[in-house]
Amino acid sequence: MTQDARGAVEAAARISYGRLLAYLSVRSRDLSASEDALSEAFAAALRVWPVAGVPDRPEAWLLTTARRVLSHGERHHRIRQGAAPMIELAYEEAHARAAPDFPDERLKLLFVCAHPDIEPAARTPLMLQTVLGLDAGRIAGAFLTSPAAMGQRLVRAKARIRDKGLIFEVLGPEAMADRLADVLSAIYAAYGTGWDAIAGAEDGVRGLAEEGVFLARLTAALLPNEPEANGLFALILYCEARRPARRDSNGAFIPLGRQNPKLWVRDLIIEAEGLLTRASRSGVFGRFQTEAAIQSVHVQRGVTGVTLTAALIQLYDLLASRHPGLGALVSRAAVYADGGKPASGLTFLDDLPPERVATYQPYWVARAHVLRLLGLAVDAKAALDIAIGLTEDPALQAFLAKGQGKTD
């Protein structure tokens, strides 16, 4: 029973943490207090469930327990903060048994985390921690900073939400549009974490891809006339369509250029093409629209049998000029090399600041690929060794060790 109960608590944390936290935060208007209350609820579950048994609805049990903790805290602070949040929580607790489900408030919380009063550098990390449950250490790694510095940044951001009394409400289209770029970046970062999760990774990490799909779909439905919302959703769907072809039956890694298009999910590709077409009608550049267009070029190989490298070069040039992220710059170099211009690709790579690329695995994979095309086998091998050392996925390590070229 103890082991089953602990497993149930862990499953609830993986599946429901972000949804529970968003629901509590929207109602209490205090993100830090909601996190503390939810932590106490999970701690209580670890104490109670092994003795009393796992409840029929673990998520509802955790929500009720956390609301009680919040309600008690509100009573102690109602003079300073006002009684409305406490009254609302108490009312909802009294009627909890009559409500079998609770609304998903994660998207609302994402837009709160993107509030103009929040430090720009803290917005996406805050979303990743609060809505998707990533810890500060994992977020710090993604943003190339220390866990301590990231932890301090997140604490300041949560205090800002509390002290400024930032409003948790449904925003109008104009306010949503102003914050949309940060929200979309957080959704894509979450999806990327799940997409790149190695075989055997925790379910919670791999499940972030599913959360990314859900939030991207929700955002596109909420803002159907926002081209970047449609662009991001299209981009994610293209990637999801190729998921079945990324590994063979033995779990071995298969790069994009060698995937069997027959394994790609046709319905997802059709949906993505429709979203990209809708987004393109705006005639305005967007990072996610451009990245989705790149994926569209790749999936056309399933129809034509060839990859239009010239089109990829044009799109990567556009992306690099308007949104020069490290991933885009590295990918442009590899595409130039594939288009018969490896010297240009190497120049692009050499122009990147060494401190930015030192631990960026895709850079070293691309560099090895470009150097190999230039006939510099020894240098290519050295770059590939670095790439392998920066790779955690055993299947990808095995692929790289064979010197078989670039990945996705």
Side-chain angles (χ1 to χ4, degrees):
M1 172 63 75
T2 299
Q3 195 65 29
D4 291 344
R6 180 173 291 277
V9 174
E10 292 174 352
R14 288 195 303 268
I15 297 169
S16 305
Y17 178 86
R19 189 166 175 239
L20 288 166
L21 180 59
Y23 183 87
L24 293 166
S25 299
V26 166
R27 279 148 184 78
S28 70
R29 298 166 176 82
D30 190 331
L31 183 53
S32 294
S34 297
E35 285 183 317
D36 292 343
L38 192 54
S39 294
E40 289 192 36
F42 277 108
L46 288 171
R47 295 192 303 269
V48 174
W49 293 4
V51 177
V54 178
D56 293 336
R57 297 172 57 226
E59 193 177 57
W61 190 100
L62 289 163
L63 179 60
T64 299
T65 302
R67 280 195 297 204
R68 285 173 181 161
V69 173
L70 271 174
S71 181
H72 295 158
E74 287 288 349
R75 290 188 183 103
H76 287 105
H77 296 88
R78 63 183 178 273
I79 295 177
R80 180 172 61 87
Q81 297 184 3
M86 181 202 58
I87 294 171
E88 183 179 352
L89 284 169
Y91 177 85
E92 290 187 354
E93 183 180 329
H95 292 78
R97 293 183 182 276
D101 297 301
F102 58 94
D104 194 325
E105 306 280 25
R106 284 176 292 180
L107 192 59
K108 189 182 294 184
L109 182 55
L110 283 173
F111 278 95
V112 171
C113 294
H115 194 284
D117 280 341
I118 300 295
E119 177 189 0
R123 292 171 191 166
T124 295
L126 185 62
M127 295 178 214
L128 293 176
Q129 184 181 68
T130 58
V131 178
L132 294 160
L134 294 185
D135 60 54
R138 189 184 299 277
I139 298 170
F143 286 83
L144 304 180
T145 188
S146 70
M150 181 58 68
Q152 292 173 357
R153 187 182 302 173
L154 291 167
V155 168
R156 288 197 302 269
K158 293 169 192 175
R160 187 78 171 169
I161 291 175
R162 181 195 65 231
D163 296 342
K164 295 282 288 187
L166 302 187
I167 302 301
F168 289 73
E169 61 184 5
V170 177
L171 301 174
E174 185 174 341
M176 277 191 172
D178 290 341
R179 305 182 195 181
L180 186 60
D182 289 317
V183 171
L184 296 181
S185 294
I187 293 172
Y188 189 47
Y191 176 78
T193 300
W195 168 258
D196 291 332
I198 65 175
E202 296 177 359
D203 290 342
V205 176
R206 289 185 281 114
L208 286 177
E210 297 177 6
E211 297 287 356
V213 173
F214 170 80
L215 291 171
R217 182 181 294 278
L218 187 61
T219 308
L222 190 64
L223 299 168
N225 297 320
E226 282 291 344
E228 276 292 81
N230 289 313
L232 173 64
F233 190 27
L235 171 60
I236 287 177
L237 288 178
Y238 282 126
C239 295
E240 282 297 290
R242 294 193 286 104
R243 184 183 291 276
R246 294 188 78 212
R247 309 275 170 159
D248 67 15
S249 57
N250 297 316
F253 176 81
I254 303 175
L256 174 57
R258 302 182 191 179
Q259 290 174 9
N260 180 0
K262 293 180 180 179
L263 297 178
W264 295 343
V265 183
R266 184 172 178 271
D267 289 347
L268 294 181
I269 292 174
I270 292 173
E271 186 178 4
E273 292 282 297
L275 288 161
L276 182 57
T277 298
R278 184 193 307 168
S280 67
R281 292 181 184 137
S282 70
V284 178
F285 167 82
R287 169 200 171 186
F288 293 115
Q289 296 172 67
T290 306
E291 292 196 35
I294 288 169
Q295 293 301 317
S296 179
V297 172
H298 282 300
V299 300
Q300 294 309 310
R301 180 170 65 84
V303 178
T304 64
V306 297
T307 299
L308 300 177
T309 306
L312 291 177
I313 287 176
Q314 287 184 334
L315 288 168
Y316 272 114
D317 280 343
L318 175 62
L319 189 61
S321 66
R322 302 289 187 87
H323 192 88
L326 188 56
L329 296 175
V330 168
S331 295
R332 179 178 64 157
V335 167
Y336 263 79
D338 288 339
K341 302 177 181 179
S344 296
L346 184 59
T347 298
F348 290 145
L349 294 175
D350 285 342
D351 286 343
L352 295 175
E355 65 275 10
R356 291 188 68 193
V357 302
T359 59
Y360 187 58
Q361 188 260 18
Y363 168 85
W364 295 102
V365 174
R367 188 172 187 85
H369 177 62
V370 171
L371 290 169
R372 185 166 47 249
L373 291 177
L374 287 169
L376 302 173
V378 175
D379 292 338
K381 176 64 167 57
L384 193 60
D385 287 342
I386 295 174
I388 293 172
L390 293 171
T391 303
E392 297 182 1
D393 184 346
L396 184 52
Q397 286 178 336
F399 172 81
L400 293 174
K402 295 177 183 178
Q404 295 188 11
K406 55 179 187 160
T407 58
D408 284 6

